[in-house]
């Protein structure tokens, strides 16, 4: 509409705990940068600093960043030389960083969905629920109101709707 006035956006980074169906440690802010993602991961890890973690993520560049590798190496007690970004070692390229982050020997590791297959990540199902139940046709007067309503919805979801998703695909090839 010609009267539509955009008041800004917010970036939501969320974790979906597959065992309980709850959304944990959501991060909402003005940007979705490498630093934002690392800060989100740090906040999540702080909930169980010595626990074993598996993060399922898409292939976004922030999910394979040098600062994320440094964070995970520090949290896992890996003090070997990581090399230099764009130069040598683990930090050399996105591929080498992703290989390090996927290492099953680490207590904190990342699993990357194939390109164009983020639908395999259950948090994407939850984002669909968020869109249908809160965002579609909604109006927010400010980014602060949007952030508050997002946090309220997450709290409501966790208290009343959270449950593990049941996969229904049985692995048979789809027929054309």
């Amino acid at each position: 509409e010609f009267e539509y006035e955009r008041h800004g956006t917010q970036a939501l980074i969320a974790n979906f705990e597959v065992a309980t169906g709850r959304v944990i440690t959501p991060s909402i802010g003005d940007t979705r940068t490498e630093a934002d993602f690392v800060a989100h991961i740090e906040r999540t890890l702080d909930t169980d600093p010595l626990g074993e973690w598996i993060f399922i993520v898409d292939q976004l560049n922030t999910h394979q960043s040098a600062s994320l590798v440094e964070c995970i190496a520090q949290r896992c007690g890996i003090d070997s030389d990581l090399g230099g970004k764009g130069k040598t070692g683990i930090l050399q390229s996105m591929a080498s960083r992703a290989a390090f982050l996927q290492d099953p020997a680490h207590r904190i590791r990342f699993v990357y969905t194939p390109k164009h297959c983020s639908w395999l990540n259950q948090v994407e199902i939850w984002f669909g629920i968020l869109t249908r139940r809160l965002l579609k046709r909604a109006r927010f007067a400010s980014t602060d109101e949007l952030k508050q309503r997002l946090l309220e919805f997450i709290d409501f979801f966790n208290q009343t709707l959270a449950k593990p998703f049941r996969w229904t695909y049985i692995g048979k090839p789809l027929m054309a």
Side-chain angles (χ1 to χ4, degrees), residues 21-86:
R22 295 173 50 91
V23 175
I24 60 171
T25 61
S27 299
I28 304 171
D30 295 331
T31 59
R32 185 192 64 172
T33 65
E34 176 179 327
D36 295 326
F37 186 69
V38 172
H40 172 77
I41 294 297
E42 290 271 8
R43 280 190 44 232
T44 303
L45 295 174
D46 286 343
T47 66
D48 186 5
L50 301 176
E52 292 197 21
W53 293 88
I54 299 173
F55 293 95
I56 300 171
V57 295
D58 60 19
Q59 306 230 6
L60 189 64
N61 61 349
T62 58
H63 300 160
Q64 301 172 26
S65 69
S67 56
L68 181 60
V69 167
E70 291 164 347
C71 166
I72 299 306
Q74 186 266 328
R75 291 287 189 133
C76 290
I78 299 168
D79 57 0
S80 60
D81 182 25
L82 300 174
K85 186 175 179 180

Side-chain angles (χ1 to χ4, degrees), residues 20-23 126 129 133 151-165:
T20 64
R22 295 173 50 91
V23 175
W126 182 82
I129 293 168
R133 293 198 172 215
L151 292 171
E152 288 169 359
F153 178 81
I154 291 167
D155 188 47
F156 166 78
F157 180 88
N158 285 342
Q159 289 181 26
T160 61
L161 302 171
K163 63 182 179 185
F165 290 133

Side-chain angles (χ1 to χ4, degrees), residues 52-138:
E52 292 197 21
W53 293 88
I54 299 173
F55 293 95
I56 300 171
V57 295
D58 60 19
Q59 306 230 6
L60 189 64
N61 61 349
T62 58
H63 300 160
Q64 301 172 26
S65 69
S67 56
L68 181 60
V69 167
E70 291 164 347
C71 166
I72 299 306
Q74 186 266 328
R75 291 287 189 133
C76 290
I78 299 168
D79 57 0
S80 60
D81 182 25
L82 300 174
K85 186 175 179 180
K87 294 184 173 87
T88 61
I90 293 166
L91 297 179
Q92 180 177 7
S93 66
M94 282 189 31
S96 61
R97 295 190 297 265
F100 172 85
L101 292 167
Q102 293 179 88
D103 188 338
H106 300 159
R107 69 176 184 83
I108 304 165
R109 69 184 176 105
F110 290 75
V111 174
Y112 296 96
T113 58
K115 288 188 181 196
H116 309 294
C117 292
S118 61
W119 58 270
L120 293 170
N121 190 342
Q122 291 187 10
V123 77
E124 298 293 343
I125 298 168
W126 182 82
F127 280 131
I129 293 168
L130 171 71
T131 299
R132 286 188 304 278
R133 293 198 172 215
L134 176 68
L135 301 176
K136 193 173 186 180
R137 296 184 195 85

